[in-house]
Amino acid sequence: MKRSALEQICPNLRHAVKSKHGLEKESMRVSYDGNLSQKPHPETLGSSLTNHYIKTDFSEPQLEFATNPRPRIEAIVRELQDLHIFASRRMQGEWIWPFSMPPILPKDEDQIPLAQYGRSFSGSWKTAYRHGLGLRYGRKMQTISGVHYNFSFSNLFFRQIFGKEIAKFDKQEISETYLNVTRNFFRKVQDVLYLTGATPAFDETFLPVPVDFPFSRFKSHTVYAPFATSLRMSEIGYTSKVQEKLNIHYNSLLEYIDGLCAAVNTVNPEYVKFGGFPSQLNPNYLQIENEFYSPVRPKQIPKNEERPIDALLNRGIQYLEVRCIDIEPESPMGVSKTTLAYVQMLLLDSLLHESPKIEEKENLRIRENTRRIIWEGRKPDVKILNEDGSEIDFRKSGERNTMELFPIAEELDRHTGKSFYSDTLKLMMSRWEDPSRTPSGKFLGRILDEGWEFRDLGMHLAKENFRTLSQMELTPGKWNSFEKEVQKSFRDLDQIENQEKIKKNTTAKVCDH
């Protein structure tokens, strides 16, 4: 898209620079011998139920770092860096695993500990949900970690698009805008997986007998797919055959809500055998909305006891959660500013183009293209399906898509006074020219060329990252802020548990009478 077209649709992109950005990044804790940690969540990091910044995800040793929403990418990356510095200094005898694919796992999946959240019902509820995930998908799959990038347009940006005051915006208009972006993002998600994917290999303890997949073995413990980009997003990761059959689409807000609502309220006969609470929350296709795995999800922050579906129905879409970003092994924080800047530009580009509804035929084509690039994205002359069903050269298509982002980059750079966005695209173009420069290519190249076992390279990088983080200084005031949140999280946990205890005792007395 040329600058003139940009100016016609959106004459001033400076408000796009100030859109809201946020990060959620998962990471495993590992002991010094490279095994998944069996220690409980460190008390020095606060309560995993109530700490705003550092929680746990599926497993007890699976840290989840969450930043505040910020108007600049640099700010959320810096806050994520601060959280890693804080956590590294507070952990004893452990390091943060640098890959999305897990470290050495126990042979028995039941020895992968579920996240624990205390004695409250809400804590038990969260653990039961995770127990259900383990039964449905396997605990090993759930140990895969990643980066979630949350993005929302600023109110000023929406005012520019719709040409009216923010108070007059209709939630339907805003939701339709986000869904337009979502559909176009899906159409190019294979580019994201190629340019940012970093999971072409894993330790044999994750999948000891890889059958029916094009895997190779290296040395004693490493398994890899020669041309893979993001196995995290494949059938051995966060692609579920059950969920692919769900009728969840993005053509309208009500259609999305209806599909999600049906999934969380319809019993899956295959899940009935697992029983009810506390083995799982329920036997439905999705226990809750968050179980839906998708490269990008429309979100609205629930209020009080509100369910995510009701939040979307009541107030529409507030932001998009991009979930297809692998942890970057070369970054101590696991994600770089360049990756986020590229995704931001792709989201903006998705807004500035027409976004027709995705019918079933196109949906199947998108899935097939995604599958091809996950498994063979770096293969020479790999093809993807065009709109008419013919095959086209993937890398040439990706180069064109990335070239179309340069007017957006130039406009964003013009308002920031830097060349950051243009430099980001130049880096991405170099990855189209040479697949070995992609994160997956560099990662696999290092394993094969330098003779590393996956597990040994992971520990080497974990140690290096710890040293790097230990030499970094926190943003002024951040240490006290994180420490105050640790103490507050314990007070909040006590309050929750005490309130439930009082409520339980009161109920018992009423029953006695």
Side-chain angles (χ1 to χ4, degrees), residues 59-101:
S59 184
E60 183 72 353
Q62 192 171 29
L63 298 170
E64 181 180 287
F65 300 98
T67 72
N68 290 306
R70 304 287 186 185
R72 299 293 290 270
I73 284 174
E74 294 88 342
I76 58 172
V77 173
R78 183 56 202 260
E79 186 168 37
L80 186 66
Q81 175 181 295
D82 288 341
L83 285 168
H84 278 70
I85 295 171
F86 180 81
S88 295
R89 294 179 183 176
R90 285 303 190 92
M91 291 163 50
Q92 298 294 325
E94 297 176 322
W95 287 325
I96 297 174
W97 187 246
F99 300 141
S100 281
M101 301 305 282

Side-chain angles (χ1 to χ4, degrees), residues 167-412:
K168 298 179 181 178
F169 288 171
D170 182 85
K171 69 177 183 182
Q172 193 67 29
E173 289 180 302
I174 293 177
S175 295
E176 286 178 2
T177 300
Y178 279 120
L179 289 173
N180 290 343
V181 172
T182 300
R183 292 193 297 274
N184 279 340
F185 187 85
F186 270 110
R187 291 179 169 110
K188 296 180 180 178
V189 72
Q190 68 270 6
D191 291 4
V192 180
L193 299 178
Y194 173 84
L195 292 171
T196 71
T199 50
F202 53 86
D203 189 82
E204 65 170 354
T205 56
F206 174 76
L207 193 63
V209 187
V211 294
D212 299 327
F213 294 109
F215 287 127
S216 300
R217 296 188 70 94
F218 181 70
K219 303 189 81 171
S220 299
H221 307 290
T222 301
V223 182
Y224 69 98
F227 301 107
T229 58
S230 180
L231 295 177
R232 169 177 166 266
M233 299 299 294
S234 74
E235 299 93 320
I236 69 169
Y238 284 94
T239 294
S240 165
K241 291 184 179 179
V242 172
Q243 292 195 14
E244 282 189 344
K245 297 177 182 177
L246 298 178
N247 192 31
I248 299 176
H249 302 289
Y250 304 86
N251 294 324
S252 72
L253 180 60
L254 286 180
E255 183 183 38
Y256 178 73
I257 291 173
D258 285 345
L260 205 54
C261 191
V264 298
N265 287 289
T266 303
V267 172
N268 182 346
E270 295 181 12
Y271 296 160
V272 173
K273 62 185 177 183
F274 299 140
F277 189 88
S279 292
Q280 58 181 346
L281 298 183
N282 55 61
N284 300 336
Y285 279 88
L286 301 178
Q287 297 173 90
I288 57 175
E289 296 88 331
N290 286 348
E291 189 176 335
F292 179 50
Y293 303 133
S294 177
V296 58
R297 293 194 306 205
K299 300 292 288 285
Q300 171 64 252
I301 298 175
K303 295 182 178 180
N304 301 320
E305 301 299 319
E306 192 177 43
R307 290 196 62 161
I309 287 178
D310 294 325
L312 282 170
L313 188 61
N314 293 334
R315 294 184 300 285
I317 298 170
Q318 183 177 5
Y319 65 96
L320 297 179
E321 179 188 44
V322 178
R323 300 165 50 82
C324 55
I325 303 174
D326 290 345
I327 293 173
E328 295 181 43
E330 292 187 344
S331 168
M333 291 76 69
V335 65
S336 66
K337 292 185 291 184
T338 53
T339 291
L340 299 177
Y342 165 71
V343 175
Q344 180 194 3
M345 285 186 280
L346 190 59
L347 291 168
L348 288 171
D349 183 68
S350 298
L351 171 70
L352 298 174
H353 285 80
E354 292 294 323
S355 183
K357 292 182 178 181
I358 296 179
E359 305 298 346
E360 187 58 23
K361 183 178 179 180
E362 184 179 13
N363 188 41
L364 293 174
R365 180 171 62 83
I366 290 172
R367 287 182 182 175
E368 174 60 19
N369 286 343
T370 301
R371 186 194 65 80
R372 291 186 184 188
I373 302 312
I374 284 172
W375 288 99
E376 299 185 324
R378 286 181 291 102
K379 187 176 183 179
D381 302 322
V382 63
K383 308 292 184 182
I384 59 172
L385 298 176
N386 202 3
E387 294 177 5
D388 60 3
S390 62
E391 291 191 329
I392 59 174
D393 185 274
F394 168 62
R395 281 166 59 188
K396 289 182 179 178
S397 170
E399 285 179 345
R400 286 195 300 270
N401 292 339
T402 302
M403 283 296 296
E404 289 180 357
L405 300 180
F406 270 98
I408 294 176
E410 292 167 3
E411 195 70 13
L412 295 176

Side-chain angles (χ1 to χ4, degrees), residues 34-51:
N35 286 275
L36 182 70
S37 175
Q38 296 293 315
K39 293 181 180 180
H41 184 70
E43 288 192 5
T44 52
L45 300 181
S47 164
S48 59
L49 180 66
T50 52
N51 190 320

